[in-house]
Amino acid sequence: MNKIRAAITGIEAFLPDYVLTNDELSRMVDTSNEWIMQRVGIKERRILKGEGLATSDMGAEATKKLLSKMGVKPEEIDLVLVATVTPDMAFPSTACIIAEKSGIKNFWGFDVSAACSGFLFTLQTAAHFIESGKYKKVLLVAADKMSSITDYTDRSTCILFGDAAVAMLLEPTTDEVGVMDYILQADGSGKDSLYLKAGGSLKPASHATVDAKEHFMYQDGKTVFKIAVSKMADVSVAMMEKNHINADDLAWFVPHQANLRIIDAVGRRMGIPKEKVMINIERYGNTTAATIPLCLWELEKSLKKDDKLILSTFGGGYTWGSIYLKWAYNSK
Ligand code: ACO
C-alpha cells in the first residue's frame, strides 16, 4: 500500500477591509513611501478595525468560507490547528474559539506558537496527524492580528506588519502529492532579538509594563535580517538538493513575506528566476503566520496537480524551515 500523505485540498482567506497605506503611515511617524518601498517593498497592509474583533474572528470568517466552498460540514472536521502569535487570549486556545464561532463541535485541537514559522510548523504537525491514518479532515488556520501588538509610534516596526487569516483543509491521499518533505529548525538563542517583552508569566501586565510599551513587539531588525537571509537560503537550498529539485522542475518558490530584500537574496542563492518566486508583500505586508498560505491562496487558480513547490520561512524564536509540497488538485 502507498504511504498516506497529507494533501491541502482547499484554501480560503479573510482580509480586513481597512487598507493602511504608506502615505497614512508617513503622517503617523517619520517615514516615507520611498524609504518603505526601497528598504522593505511594502505598499500597503490590511488592518482589522472594530471593537471586540480578534484573530479568531478573521480565522472563523476564513473557515466558514472554506467549509462552504468545499461542501464540508463543521461536524466532519476532526482536528483544528491554529498557527498564531496573537491569540485572542492566553487561554482558551484560539483553536477552541475559532471552532466555536464556525460551528465545529466534535473535534480537538490547539494553537501552535512559532511566530513567522507558525504556518510551516503547523502544516507539518497536521501532516503527522494525517499520516498516522487516524485523521481524515484537519482544519489548519494561520491567522495573526499583528496590529494588536504593533506600536504605531515606532517607525522601525509599524511599517512592516498587517492582519490576515487563511484557512485550509488537509486530507489524506495515497497519491504522490501533498507534504513530501520537511526541514524545520529552532534556536532559542534568538529569544532576545524578536519578542513580546510583557504579558506572559515572566512580566505580567502592570501599569509599568504598559507605560514602558512592553506589550508591543520588539525587533532588532538588523540582526534578524542577516540571520533570516542566511538561514532561509541555507534551508531552501538544502531542501532542493535533498529532493533533487532544480529551478526548472520547480513551479514556485513560496517564501515568508517579511522583506522584499530578504526574498530577493534567498531567491538568488537558490538560483530561482524571479518569475517563479511568489511575492505579494507589497499588498499585505508581513502577516506573520498567514504570509505563505496567503500566497498559496492567491496562486490557487494557477496551480496544477503535481506542481512542485518549496515553502520557506524564518521567524521569532528563532524558528525557520522549509517544506516541499506537491500540489494536490487542479482548481475548478
Ligand atoms: N522610515 C525611515 N527611516 C527608518 C525607518 C522608517 N520606517 N525605520 C528605520 N529607519 C531608519 C533607522 O532609524 C536608521 O536610521 P539611523 O541610521 O539614523 O539610525 C536607518 O533607517 C537604518 O535602520 P535599519 O534598522 O538599519 O534599517 P534596515 O535597512 O535594517 O531595515 C528592517 C529595517 C526593515 C526592519 C529590516 O531590518 C528587516 O527587514 N529586518 C528583518 C525582518 C524579519 O525578517 N523579521 C522576521 C520575521 S518577523 C516575525 O517572526 C514576527
Side-chain angles (χ1 to χ4, degrees), residues 297-313:
W297 170 68
E298 291 210 310
L299 279 176
E300 190 196 22
K301 293 265 178 302
S302 64
L303 288 172
K304 294 181 294 303
K305 187 166 186 257
D306 295 323
D307 274 354
K308 294 178 179 175
L309 310 175
I310 299 276
L311 321 177
S312 297
T313 192

Side-chain angles (χ1 to χ4, degrees), residues 31 35 39 116 155 194 219 221-222 224 258-259 261-262 315-316:
T31 191
W35 194 95
R39 306 300 294 166
C116 295
R155 68 178 181 173
L194 181 48
Q219 173 171 250
K222 247 189 183 35
V224 174
N259 186 319
R261 287 185 295 142
I262 297 179

Side-chain angles (χ1 to χ4, degrees), residues 3-4 26 89 93 104 116 143 168 174 227 240 266 306 308:
K3 181 179 166 19
I4 299 172
S26 307
M89 51 193 80
S93 70
I104 297 170
C116 295
M168 56 174 61
T174 48
I227 302 176
M240 289 180 77
V266 173
D306 295 323
K308 294 178 179 175

